[in-house]
Amino acid sequence: MTDAIALKPELGRYGVWTFGRVTPDEAVEIERLGYGALWVGGSPAADLEFVEPILAATETLQVATGIVNIWTAPAAEVAASFQRIEAAHPSRFLLGIGAGHREHTEEYTSPVQALEDYLEALDVAGVPTSRRVVAALGPRVLELAAQHSAGAHPYLTIPEHTGGARELIGNTVFLAPEHKVVLTTDAEAARGVGRKALDLYLGLSNYVKNWHRMGFGSADVSKPGSDRFVDAMVAHGTAAQIAARLEEHLDAGADHVAIQVLGGRDQLLPTLTELAEPLGLTARD
């Protein structure tokens, strides 16, 4: 049985979402700037061996997976990794899981049932509901996340989706959407970077279906994506303009926003540094 009520994780208002790993030194700087969490995407392996070096180098930064793929990372192995990390760094690791994409998974069956089975296996292995979240877009998986985890981590959505998700799952459930950013006032350059990042997802049925639910038409989400669509998915402009866009998620009901910086790895820390003040973060000396 899952907990009757899962406590919301405390990740602060803003975190950082990256594809692949960051170094402990980068994590230290992200923490110093005032970001509360580091989300690591790219379907990390079940051993989660990258987590401890980051937590050991930092003091309060949370590390989350965004997400462990249920088809490639067995629940028992992931649970053992969770217990290992939790023992060394209590309450600083958040396990994000998800069903990935039909187009990339041979074993793909019913994602809702597979997620429920995986979450039940985590229950048996003693992974607390309050330290796990589910990648959720549509109503069925959002409801599953609300019932069997601390909450939902929607990817590639907009504040309007955040508002609908909050209404569906209620106020006691954690909600942490991801949003992409490009720090430039050159709209065409930003759209070029955004289209490059979005190209893969425009061929994935779960995202396309969700974008239709959000009001985007077929012309918007057909490659290479309309300007309207790209601008909605990828915030650009000055640091203040980007911060205002990200804050829309909080206004719509998000507890935490995971920021993905586009444009190359060399843009990560400079962009996060520029955004910190308009986001209202307090940097450490």
Side-chain angles (χ1 to χ4, degrees):
M1 294 291 291
T2 56
D3 303 340
I5 298 177
L7 300 176
K8 286 187 180 183
E10 293 288 342
L11 272 65
R13 292 177 303 151
Y14 294 104
V16 178
W17 200 104
T18 67
F19 255 122
R21 306 172 187 186
V22 303
T23 67
D25 286 345
E26 289 171 324
V28 167
E29 181 62 11
I30 287 168
E31 179 182 63
R32 189 194 69 80
L33 289 169
Y35 295 92
L38 172 63
W39 296 77
V40 179
S43 299
D47 60 22
L48 301 176
E49 52 83 20
F50 66 91
V51 176
E52 282 111 329
I54 293 172
L55 293 178
T58 54
E59 297 177 9
T60 61
L61 188 73
Q62 299 268 322
V63 174
T65 50
I67 47 77
V68 166
N69 190 314
I70 65 170
W71 308 107
T72 59
E77 293 179 31
V78 170
S81 298
F82 174 89
Q83 301 293 3
R84 183 193 76 235
I85 297 165
E86 181 68 12
H89 305 280
S91 299
R92 291 185 59 202
F93 175 64
L94 183 66
L95 176 63
I97 70 162
H101 313 293
R102 185 179 303 276
E103 292 82 356
H104 293 167
T105 307
E106 239 178 78
E107 305 90 341
Y108 204 94
T109 55
S110 167
V112 177
Q113 186 59 57
L115 281 166
E116 187 168 355
D117 292 345
Y118 198 97
L119 289 162
E120 288 180 358
L122 295 179
D123 287 340
V124 171
V127 177
T129 308
S130 59
R131 299 308 302 174
R132 66 197 198 204
V133 293
V134 178
L137 296 175
R140 291 181 67 195
V141 182
L142 283 166
E143 289 174 348
L144 179 70
Q147 294 164 1
H148 295 277
S149 78
H153 175 48
Y155 187 82
L156 269 176
T157 61
I158 56 177
E160 289 79 1
H161 180 275
T162 297
R166 174 56 72 203
E167 184 175 351
L168 178 67
I169 64 181
N171 291 327
T172 62
V173 178
F174 184 69
L175 182 58
E178 171 269 354
H179 205 105
K180 295 173 173 54
V181 307
V182 179
L183 183 58
T184 179
T185 56
D186 184 334
E188 287 307 310
R191 288 171 187 147
V193 173
R195 284 191 168 95
K196 184 176 180 180
L198 293 169
D199 182 74
L200 167 68
Y201 303 101
L202 289 166
L204 299 177
S205 57
N206 59 332
Y207 287 112
V208 172
K209 182 178 180 181
N210 195 52
W211 293 328
H212 285 315
R213 281 193 294 256
M214 292 191 290
F216 293 104
S218 296
D220 289 312
V221 297
S222 297
K223 293 187 178 185
S226 70
D227 286 355
R228 168 177 174 257
F229 170 74
V230 175
D231 289 348
M233 293 295 136
V234 182
H236 68 268
T238 65
Q241 289 169 330
I242 292 172
R245 176 60 170 169
L246 298 173
E247 191 173 355
E248 290 179 24
H249 281 285
L250 299 179
D251 292 342
D255 296 292
H256 173 89
V257 181
I259 303 165
Q260 183 177 169
V261 176
L262 302 182
R265 190 56 172 271
D266 61 335
Q267 297 301 307
L268 178 65
L269 292 180
T271 297
L272 295 175
T273 301
E274 290 294 317
L275 287 176
E277 183 175 348
L279 289 174
L281 303 181
T282 303
R284 299 180 182 182
D285 293 330

